[in-house]
Amino acid sequence: MKVSRRDLLLGTAGLTAGVFFTPVPWKVLDDVSIWTQNWPWIPQPAHGPVTTKLSSCTLCASGCSIRVRMAAGFPVGISGAASHPLTQGALCPLGFAAHQLNWHPARLREVRHHGRSASWEEASAAFEKACAEGPVAVIDGRSGRAASAVLQAFATKHNGSYEVVLNTEEKSLSPCAQWTGVPVNSLGYDLENARTVVSFGAPLLDGWGVPGRFTHLWSERAAGKTDPQLRLIQIEPSLSRTATNAWRWVPICQGTEALLAASLAKILIEEHLVSSPGPLPPASLTEAATQTGLTPTAIRDLAYAMVERRPTLVIGADENPAVAALNVLLGSLGVSGGIVKKPATPFAMPQTSAGRTPRRAVLVDSTVPWEYIAPSGAEVFRFAAWDGGGNRADWLLPAPGFLEELTDLPTPPTSAVAVYGIAPSLLIPSAQLKTAAEFAQQIDSTLPTVDQTIHARCEGIFHAHRGSVNSEKKFPVAGFESAAKLEEALRTGGIWLEDSSSAAALKCSLKEWPTDSPTRVSGNWANAWAAPVMPTLAAKLYRESSLRETPQRSQS
Amino acid sequence: MSDLVIIDRRFIARGEERASTMKFMLWLVPWIAMLVFGIYAAALCLYYGLNQTNMDNRFAFGLWIFADLSVIAMGAGAFFTGFLVYILKQEELKPVLNSAVVVGLVCYSGAVAVLMVDVGQPLRAWFTFWHPNTHSMLTEVTFCITCYLIVLILEYLPVLLRNRQLQKIPSFLVFEHQFHKLVPVLAAVGAFLSFFHQGSLGGLYGVLRGRPFAFREHFAIWPTTFFLFILSAIAVGPSFLLLVVATVEGVTGRKLVEPSVLRKLGFISGILLGVYVAAKSIDTIIWLNVTSPSVGFAPWEYYAYKPFGSAILFSEIVLLGLLPAILLILPKTRAHRGLLLLAAALTCGGVLLNRFVLTVQTLALPTLAFDDFLKYTPSWQEVATFGAVIAYGVILYSLSYRYLPLFGHSKGEEKHVSVG
Amino acid sequence: MSARYGMVIDLDRCTGCGACMVACAVENNVPTSPARVTDRTGLTPMLVHKVSNGLEGSGHREVFIPVACMHCAHETPCVSVCPQQAVEVDQETGIVMQIPQRCLGCRYCMTACPYHARYFNWWDPSWPPGMEKTLNPGVATRMRGVVEKCNLCHARLHTAMERAAAAGKKEIDMADYVPACVEACPTNAILFGNLANPNDPVSQAVHSPDTFRLLARLGTEPKTYYKSHQAWVRALAERSPNGHVTEAQHV
């Protein structure tokens, strides 16, 4: 058949036009667009009804209440719960992404002995052997919990010692604890009633204490006002977030806090700005001016500013006796708006106990900062949910992660009021995970479990007939029918709050101005994170923006 | 090897002189290498994603967009020469018409290829046709460039079909003869489409009210950059074509067109460049004194950052604008071949600088009061991909020159130039 | 009854903690940062800038400015430039909606936005194994090569609308519609509401003389307002407030 040019042209045109009348090109185009939306390597969210449960964040000792959105049995979102009387519903940035921590690449899921895989049986056997051979120390990073009580009971029964690693806020109260004879965990800062807060480098607006507490006070009483009801004076070398927002920032040279405190004390006494005679520091104003970089006038002005509106509270960034001593001079010990003693809890709190040295073994709870260095020569049994790397523990023992552990929340350090809460576990941890308390209880089954201890504590609160439970509304304890009902309220997000009472007077044994050198400043989560890892989305803050510096691990 | 030579010779038109097969292959080798390397770089970008480039959230457009705008401006010689020959009846430019088509084809197909790598989801490129946004300059650009690319391919077909071997196929010969009647239509359509997309490419920047450095006053719906881009494109098109032809003459060692043709191209370029410089100067004055300050951006702050000082503006308008315009308009300077080529090169440089300023400087400059001035350097993948386009252009042009009658009739063939 | 959702951010209350940034990333299923990510290739639909007044010594001041999509109401720059209508202004709410499934990834909208509020997925989204179980069901994950930005937590608006419909009401309860950043802020620095409702606190707050909008002179009518008692902070609204280039710097 002869194909003419006409045929060729017509044929080509017809074919091209005809194809568009078939579904082929349209379907292919459609498919192409759908493929690009649903490539198989892009994860999709789970389907399923979304429920909301209440629990508490356990990343630090603050124990902020959280509202957790759950879908298909997994947490998919976190927000603060306003029911907590201290947090006012606020969380620090890390809390919002904490639910993703359980799948952090550094998640620890198996027992490790000197780097190689081992089993719980081997770890138990080794620990029991160690207990038999010599004194054991139990190290707790967050004392006051039900788990702490179990650990302390274990230590006592087995002739071991129970020690607590204090965080920076607790350390700032240590000198006062020493002088008043009151344990650190019974002291608190009454920020709610203070009118002037002088912070020597403590990051009050950036993760210090319970994050929502001071930020809320400051926001209501100080933010943006030229003459605020709450005056924050921030004394530190660099312009931190707290310093930027303070009523006054006093820039001093690194390491001169104690010297400045001493010269301020001298001015306060010599110019009769305080009523108590107090211990007189051997400080010279000119020397302080030279070292700190401030002028003598500036130091004097600062002293006057400190007393202009009382009560004044002085807070140090770490264990700094000279800074703490200013509170003594200002008469802030045992008064409203100062350093107060919290009423005793309606249940027993574990006390530290020293033990014999040298230690044969050390049991380190997962709440202890990652960089904690155990005494040399001891066999270290380190509990942790994440492996932050570089740890010298002999045994790395996988602990439950976020929302995977039933725990309770004693009063946070620095709080002026006593609170108590229970954080139910919202996820079922695998059987491969154990807390240090569970580990101890399995070795010595005469010890109570954490669950039993919590139960006993609720009974204690109920029978004490004090305080109220804050959830959607406030319910006085006296209004509960039974301890079981009280416990149920606490297990579903309620927070028990002690009745308010006037501050108990405190004796102070400080005679001479302290000249001990302060311990090194560790900082807050933003620049010295104690846990092994941070939530992965926290990288938004320091890698994907210039908002924050990359955090370093804390030194403890 | 000798078989290869025989085949090669068969494709070369009878009576035409071309370099030896060996020499030609040696010429092609480095360009092929550059092309292959560039394709590899592009493949990396398609496979791993655009994190292979140094573009980021602040420099969302980089080397590739600058390259696209530049090659499309250079390729304007294709439509404009066709317009001059078929609509304005400037018959003396016929000898360079086929070259212009090849240059245009290379520029546009290269630009489209780079665009397919530049977008994040190339498989969705067709969405613009399905959900067009009539307010967006980019929709206009997409439509017109796609249509014009088809026009260029159609214009190239007859040139291709004039190859000695392909002419032996009767249906191709017939097709090519019949196609002839379409040529003026194609030229008109091409000119129409090109005016619009050259303008819209300028419009891309002129409408950015969020970027006062680029934003300009509007005439009806078009910002002044729309018209300035058209003017600069038709000014640079002939210059670039002139340079290409002169380069080919240099490389092949042959006189391919009468020098008067090149001089004519230069003259046209010069006149249009002069008009462009005048329009641009007025536009710049208005922009600096009225448009920009009216939205809170002080006039000279744009030039406060090294190395983008006011020297850039001066270079763009005077050194690479007014100066080559004068050189190209004055007969004495135009007559001198060296000056002619220099002026053409300066013209190209000026248009390149203009596209660069609007693409890169716009994005480098701060908008918020607390923004920084930013820097950007293309990654090797970006440079290599752009290099592939250049290599592709050289290869296609070299093949076209070798096997097709780009510069008109050869002995024994019809005195017949195909298309515009 | 159409709404115009907007915000007033009190810069005197913002402490720069970054809680809003993290809460936003969690709500919107923003993927884990790839190893090579930088502050120029990151994905932060809410971004807090640290800005100083450029002075040294005792005059040095800093402020934190949270910036997310402004949901511009007038001649929205990004809407008019998108070649395939992957961005549109929702007439009922005033929210500028981005449709990632239609986005080609040409990034023209990113060059158009003067607030740099748009972010590109330079990498394929990926999470550490198992972490995808924590994805928020209300929000679709995106693919590589598309642009995304703040959408005023549209999933939460959707939930609020469902609740209102279930209760037979026509208007949503504003207590049900709280974007993640607003909810997260520990100092309540972000006030969110319906600018079209004269009884809403936010529409009253915008009339304060201390309120300003960024780059208001561009004429885009952003719906995020800022507030500060400090004059130097209010001067950050424009690039060249007094005809001179600003001294302000990013810290």
Side-chain angles (χ1 to χ4, degrees):
Chain A
M1 179 179 126
K2 212 168 187 266
V3 177
S4 69
R5 57 168 159 81
R6 194 195 202 97
D7 295 332
L8 193 69
L9 283 170
L10 282 176
T12 315
L15 199 65
T16 315
V19 149
F20 286 97
F21 284 92
T22 68
V24 170
W26 313 110
K27 201 70 188 63
V28 169
L29 281 176
D30 226 1
D31 285 346
V32 161
S33 65
I34 295 171
W35 296 335
T36 63
Q37 293 168 27
N38 293 309
W39 296 124
W41 56 82
I42 301 169
Q44 303 292 326
H47 292 288
V50 175
T51 54
T52 308
K53 301 237 166 87
L54 288 169
S55 184
S56 291
C57 177
T58 49
L59 292 185
C60 78
S62 299
C64 306
S65 290
I66 54 177
R67 194 173 295 270
V68 184
R69 289 172 64 231
M70 311 275 292
F74 290 98
V76 295
I78 297 200
S79 59
S83 49
H84 199 303
L86 290 178
T87 68
Q88 318 287 336
L91 291 178
C92 76
L94 302 184
F96 291 95
H99 61 299
Q100 296 185 331
L101 274 171
N102 294 335
W103 294 275
H104 192 284
R107 183 71 204 267
L108 194 55
R109 292 201 188 270
E110 53 165 19
V111 176
R112 297 222 199 108
H113 177 54
H114 290 145
R116 57 154 189 85
S117 194
S119 71
W120 279 110
E121 288 74 33
E122 290 174 52
S124 292
F127 189 65
E128 285 187 75
K129 181 160 167 285
C131 289
E133 284 173 7
V136 157
V138 176
I139 320 289
D140 191 359
R142 206 175 291 168
S143 71
R145 300 170 294 149
S148 311
V150 172
L151 289 172
Q152 190 231 346
F154 178 89
T156 314
K157 280 190 78 175
H158 297 261
N159 291 322
S161 62
Y162 170 73
E163 293 162 31
V164 170
V165 175
L166 296 177
N167 63 23
T168 54
E169 293 108 353
E170 288 169 313
K171 283 194 199 152
S172 69
L173 284 168
S174 300
C176 291
Q178 229 181 314
W179 303 325
T180 57
V182 175
V184 163
N185 54 18
S186 292
L187 287 177
Y189 292 108
D190 187 14
L191 296 163
E192 283 77 8
N193 292 310
R195 292 180 72 202
T196 306
V197 174
V198 182
S199 161
F200 278 76
L204 299 183
L205 288 173
D206 200 16
W208 181 90
V210 176
R213 184 181 170 213
F214 189 71
T215 44
H216 181 77
L217 288 171
W218 170 82
S219 171
E220 293 302 306
R221 300 185 196 170
K225 299 185 176 57
T226 4
D227 188 19
Q229 295 165 19
L230 171 63
R231 286 183 173 178
L232 171 60
I233 301 174
Q234 184 76 359
I235 303 173
E236 69 179 312
S238 56
L239 191 63
S240 65
R241 276 166 182 70
T242 312
T244 300
N245 289 300
W247 174 69
R248 198 168 287 178
W249 171 46
V250 181
I252 58 171
C253 297
Q254 198 90 18
T256 57
E257 288 85 4
L259 191 53
L260 178 62
S263 80
L264 283 170
K266 192 140 191 249
I267 297 172
L268 289 174
I269 294 170
E270 286 180 349
E271 304 203 14
H272 307 289
L273 295 175
V274 291
S275 48
S276 68
L280 188 69
S284 124
L285 187 57
T286 36
E287 197 210 332
T290 323
Q291 296 284 342
T292 59
L294 299 169
T295 61
T297 323
I299 298 179
R300 179 171 275 110
D301 284 346
L302 178 56
Y304 275 85
M306 279 170 67
V307 296
E308 201 181 338
R309 290 194 195 172
R310 306 279 237 355
T312 305
L313 194 49
V314 179
I315 304 177
D318 209 320
E319 188 171 349
N320 194 327
V323 167
L326 278 174
N327 284 303
V328 175
L329 270 189
L330 290 163
S332 300
L333 281 189
V335 297
S336 166
I339 295 174
V340 295
K341 178 185 170 192
K342 291 173 277 213
T345 51
F347 47 79
M349 290 284 271
Q351 302 301 325
T352 58
S353 58
R356 302 180 333 263
T357 51
R359 312 263 191 263
R360 166 65 180 78
V362 175
L363 182 68
V364 184
D365 185 60
S366 56
T367 51
V368 174
W370 185 245
E371 252 70 22
Y372 169 79
I373 298 171
S376 60
E379 191 178 5
V380 182
F381 293 79
R382 213 307 177 193
F383 279 81
W386 301 277
D387 182 359
N391 197 282
R392 281 157 278 183
D394 300 284
W395 294 86
L396 268 181
L397 304 161
F402 194 71
L403 299 176
E404 286 182 340
E405 179 192 344
L406 166 70
T407 185
D408 62 348
L409 308 143
T411 309
T414 75
S415 167
V417 296
V419 293
Y420 184 71
I422 302 175
S425 105
L426 298 182
L427 296 166
I428 302 166
S430 89
Q432 273 296 310
L433 307 171
K434 280 196 230 290
T435 62
E438 280 169 2
F439 183 71
Q441 205 269 340
Q442 279 167 9
I443 288 174
D444 180 353
S445 50
T446 64
L447 296 171
T449 61
V450 167
D451 201 27
Q452 289 164 343
T453 312
I454 289 177
H455 183 73
R457 288 179 166 197
C458 290
E459 297 258 340
I461 293 175
F462 178 73
H463 289 297
H465 283 290
R466 300 201 313 263
S468 55
V469 172
N470 289 34
S471 49
E472 303 289 306
K473 294 204 218 11
K474 208 165 160 165
F475 294 104
V477 169
F480 281 94
E481 295 163 8
S482 64
K485 282 269 184 327
L486 174 77
E487 189 174 341
E488 196 200 317
L490 293 179
R491 277 186 193 246
T492 48
I495 302 285
W496 174 78
L497 172 66
E498 173 70 87
D499 286 329
S500 52
S501 54
S502 49
L506 293 173
K507 279 200 306 253
C508 176
S509 67
L510 181 64
K511 296 281 180 280
E512 283 174 12
W513 187 261
T515 47
D516 328 338
S517 34
T519 57
R520 201 160 32 131
V521 174
S522 332
N524 73 323
W525 73 263
N527 52 25
W529 182 231
V533 297
M534 288 190 121
T536 50
L537 284 178
K540 299 288 155 207
L541 304 177
Y542 54 87
R543 279 176 70 201
E544 294 181 40
S545 69
S546 47
L547 186 62
R548 289 186 179 274
E549 308 289 315
T550 308
Q552 312 296 320
R553 294 261 177 72
S554 72
Q555 315 295 317
S556 74
Chain B
M1 177 62 196
S2 55
D3 289 333
L4 206 60
V5 175
I6 295 169
I7 295 169
D8 176 47
R9 287 283 141 192
R10 282 220 196 106
F11 278 87
I12 298 177
R14 242 182 251 116
E16 289 290 335
E17 272 180 51
R18 293 288 183 263
S20 72
T21 310
M22 185 61 167
K23 241 184 169 177
F24 184 64
M25 285 173 63
L26 278 175
W27 161 254
L28 279 186
V29 159
W31 300 108
I32 291 176
M34 197 160 146
L35 178 67
V36 167
F37 184 58
I39 290 175
Y40 165 67
L44 281 179
C45 295
L46 288 171
Y47 185 75
Y48 286 112
L50 288 171
N51 56 79
Q52 297 287 302
T53 67
N54 279 348
M55 289 187 285
D56 53 50
N57 295 323
R58 296 295 297 276
F59 269 104
F61 286 168
L63 174 69
W64 287 339
I65 298 293
F66 159 67
D68 283 341
L69 290 176
S70 303
V71 299
I72 289 178
M74 302 297 146
F79 88 86
F80 196 58
T81 318
F83 177 75
L84 288 170
V85 170
Y86 286 102
I87 313 294
L88 296 187
K89 306 291 181 208
Q90 303 289 307
E91 298 283 321
E92 333 147 59
L93 294 178
K94 261 201 170 154
V96 292
L97 210 39
N98 288 350
S99 261
V101 168
V102 176
V103 167
L105 179 67
V106 157
C107 287
Y108 279 82
S109 53
V112 170
V114 164
L115 269 173
M116 286 301 103
V117 184
D118 199 2
V119 296
Q121 288 282 342
L123 290 175
R124 296 183 185 175
W126 64 278
F127 282 179
T128 313
F129 300 98
W130 201 241
H131 306 281
N133 178 1
T134 50
H135 300 290
S136 171
M137 287 284 173
L138 198 48
T139 305
E140 210 282 325
V141 167
T142 310
F143 272 88
C144 283
I145 285 192
T146 315
C147 295
Y148 186 60
L149 185 58
I150 294 171
V151 166
L152 275 172
I153 292 171
L154 291 175
E155 290 181 345
Y156 183 66
L157 270 181
V159 185
L160 185 63
L161 292 179
R162 297 221 69 218
N163 176 268
R164 180 179 150 196
Q165 294 297 323
L166 291 176
Q167 281 201 308
K168 289 184 179 166
I169 303 169
S171 47
F172 283 176
L173 195 59
V174 164
F175 175 75
E176 194 251 308
H177 274 276
Q178 294 293 331
F179 203 75
H180 233 55
K181 297 165 193 165
L182 263 184
V183 158
V185 174
L186 281 179
V189 169
F192 174 80
L193 288 174
S194 294
F195 270 103
F196 268 97
H197 74 244
Q198 292 288 354
S200 297
L201 284 172
L204 283 185
Y205 295 101
V207 296
L208 295 179
R209 58 177 56 245
R211 301 269 177 187
F213 179 71
F215 185 71
R216 296 290 187 276
E217 302 292 344
H218 280 47
F219 288 111
I221 57 169
W222 299 294
T224 56
T225 45
F226 182 94
F227 306 100
L228 289 173
F229 261 54
I230 295 175
L231 271 175
S232 55
I234 59 180
V236 81
S239 274
F240 185 62
L241 186 57
L242 187 172
L243 278 179
V244 167
V245 172
T247 310
V248 174
E249 285 188 334
V251 167
T252 58
R254 284 182 203 106
K255 184 178 115 169
L256 297 166
V257 293
E258 292 300 319
S260 62
V261 174
L262 296 184
R263 285 201 296 272
K264 176 119 193 183
L265 281 174
F267 180 67
I268 294 169
S269 182
I271 294 284
L272 292 169
L273 189 60
V275 174
Y276 167 68
V277 166
K280 174 107 181 142
S281 305
I282 297 170
D283 177 66
T284 305
I285 290 168
I286 295 176
W287 163 64
L288 284 175
N289 290 293
V290 178
T291 322
S292 182
S294 73
V295 291
F297 281 70
W300 291 106
E301 70 152 287
Y302 300 123
Y303 300 102
Y305 306 98
K306 299 274 180 280
F308 295 152
S310 48
I312 270 203
L313 189 60
F314 179 76
S315 303
E316 195 192 325
I317 299 182
V318 179
L319 282 181
L320 301 174
L322 187 61
L323 175 62
I326 292 171
L327 289 175
L328 289 171
I329 292 174
L330 295 179
K332 272 228 174 91
T333 44
R334 198 170 69 238
H336 188 281
R337 192 177 172 90
L339 281 178
L340 176 67
L341 294 181
L342 173 67
L346 289 176
T347 310
C348 295
V351 170
L352 283 174
L353 184 58
N354 169 259
R355 290 351 184 216
F356 173 81
V357 157
L358 279 177
T359 310
V360 176
Q361 194 176 358
T362 307
L363 293 176
L365 287 170
T367 49
L368 291 168
F370 41 89
D371 274 345
D372 296 321
F373 174 77
L374 299 170
K375 298 201 166 77
Y376 155 77
T377 323
S379 68
W380 69 263
Q381 292 92 331
E382 291 174 81
V383 177
T385 309
F386 183 31
V389 170
I390 296 173
Y392 155 72
V394 172
I395 292 170
L396 189 62
Y397 194 94
S398 304
L399 291 171
S400 300
Y401 172 74
R402 189 172 179 80
Y403 299 123
L404 307 173
L406 277 192
F407 289 96
H409 52 284
S410 47
K411 293 191 276 281
E413 294 283 338
E414 253 181 82
K415 205 173 185 172
H416 185 75
V417 173
S418 298
V419 286
Chain C
M1 174 73 149
S2 55
R4 285 196 312 124
Y5 293 112
M7 298 180 176
V8 177
I9 303 182
D10 189 343
L11 296 179
D12 294 329
R13 286 193 191 214
C14 176
T15 58
C17 68
C20 54
M21 288 177 65
V22 177
C24 168
V26 169
E27 168 73 17
N28 289 300
N29 292 337
V30 174
T32 310
S33 315
R36 283 194 296 124
V37 83
T38 64
D39 61 346
R40 304 242 306 243
T41 51
L43 229 164
T44 49
M46 168 61 94
L47 174 63
V48 180
H49 297 263
K50 188 165 157 197
V51 181
S52 91
N53 64 355
L55 300 176
E56 300 292 324
S58 60
H60 183 84
R61 297 276 181 279
E62 287 178 2
V63 73
F64 295 96
I65 305 185
V67 171
C69 173
M70 303 279 164
H71 299 281
C72 301
H74 178 67
E75 289 185 18
T76 316
C78 55
V79 170
S80 55
V81 300
C82 178
Q84 46 224 43
Q85 299 187 67
V87 198
E88 57 174 19
V89 182
D90 182 352
Q91 295 303 320
E92 289 300 312
T93 58
I95 298 178
V96 176
M97 301 292 305
Q98 174 82 19
I99 310 169
Q101 291 80 1
R102 196 185 284 179
C103 177
L104 163 68
C106 70
R107 308 185 299 285
Y108 190 20
C109 57
M110 292 172 72
T111 61
C113 179
Y115 305 104
H116 317 304
R118 290 173 152 274
Y119 301 88
F120 189 72
N121 281 279
W122 298 98
W123 284 270
D124 262 315
S126 75
W127 283 263
M131 206 186 272
E132 66 276 353
K133 299 191 190 88
T134 63
L135 289 175
N136 181 2
V139 177
T141 49
R142 281 77 59 194
M143 59 297 301
R144 166 231 293 181
V146 298
V147 177
E148 60 182 77
K149 64 175 191 69
C150 160
N151 59 5
L152 273 191
C153 286
H154 195 260
R156 295 184 176 206
L157 172 60
H158 206 77
T159 309
M161 286 161 71
E162 282 176 353
R163 264 199 213 133
K169 299 205 202 114
K170 280 195 137 177
E171 304 279 330
I172 61 161
D173 183 354
M174 283 309 287
D176 286 338
Y177 176 32
V178 183
C181 54
V182 179
E183 187 181 54
C185 182
T187 55
N188 296 318
I190 309 182
L191 181 65
F192 172 78
N194 181 359
L195 292 167
N197 177 359
N199 298 323
D200 194 309
V202 85
S203 57
Q204 287 153 11
V206 301
H207 296 300
S208 153
D210 289 338
T211 328
F212 64 95
R213 289 181 291 184
L214 293 176
L215 301 178
R217 289 182 71 180
L218 288 180
T220 55
E221 298 292 320
K223 296 212 277 294
T224 299
Y225 292 74
Y226 294 88
K227 189 171 126 175
S228 173
H229 290 116
Q230 304 181 75
W232 78 272
V233 173
R234 292 199 299 274
L236 292 173
E238 300 296 335
R239 177 96 204 133
S240 320
N242 307 309
H244 305 292
V245 180
T246 178
E247 293 283 342
Q249 299 169 356
H250 211 275
V251 178

